Amino acid sequence: MTGEDTGIGQGGSEVKYGSAVTGLVFLSASGGIGLTTMTALMAKQLRNMALSCALVDLDLYGGGMDVLVGIEGAPGMRLGRIRAPLGRVDPQALREELPIWDGIPLLSNDPWSAPPQGWWDMDAAVSAVAGFADFLLIDAGRGQGLGNLRSLKGLPSLLMVDMTVLGLARAKALLHALNARRDADDRTQDSPLISCRPPMALIGMMPTRHRVSHGVDPEQAEEFLGRSVDVVLKPQPRLSASVLDGRGLERVPRTYARALHPLAERIAGMVVVGAKKVDRVSSGGLARSEAVK
């Protein structure tokens, strides 16, 4: 497989693909609250549970996951260079071309370095990554521009919420749109919004001190949103500095690891290898946890 824009799609010979995509879509109605960071950190958590994971960056208006984790200089395929005119990409060939971050294959989106591509190219890329990884963690940004991707249809999602008044208003609007998308019949599937399932869990991120004096209390947020906020986190200055200084994500903060562990177990419990569900982790319900230090 080459990295040229002529493509890595395979024609002529029959390619064996993995089963339907198994993964989790990460969404946020607000920018700048750490959605990409959270997606990558959750991949680390699941890798530590011995799951075969891969990261896919589908934030069409932001991207740059490779920059965030500190491997922007690593050679390899990026999303914008994939061309699949026949709607297929060879999974093994793509696997060999992707850069690796901490043992996790990463398909990053760098929209500043490649022209826009067709939805069929992105769809083929996602399906190909699913052909060699048991579980995909997909950063979908605000979910816009992904409505035609069949590979994402019906996938479970996770919503990250900015715990401010404006952030909660935006999150409620996105929740409403996702529910409406789910309830729409097949004749009204022309929305630009991703067609994943409504969120299985909500992660609240408290604002930094320079933005507002304090965030909205979780109880008030739950009353406004009409559903529970499963995990509430506070920004970690060291983590932010590591990302902003170009050192990438060096480690999962202990407070985050503790707070996210029940959610990571629940996510791992969704993974099916062959016909057998992974039974080394619990898939029970979540009780809200809070990382406050």
Side-chain angles (χ1 to χ4, degrees), residues 171-181:
K172 188 170 185 176
L174 181 55
L175 284 170
H176 177 76
L178 289 170
N179 282 318
R181 185 87 165 104

Side-chain angles (χ1 to χ4, degrees), residues 67 104 156 250:
V67 178
I104 303 168
E250 297 174 327

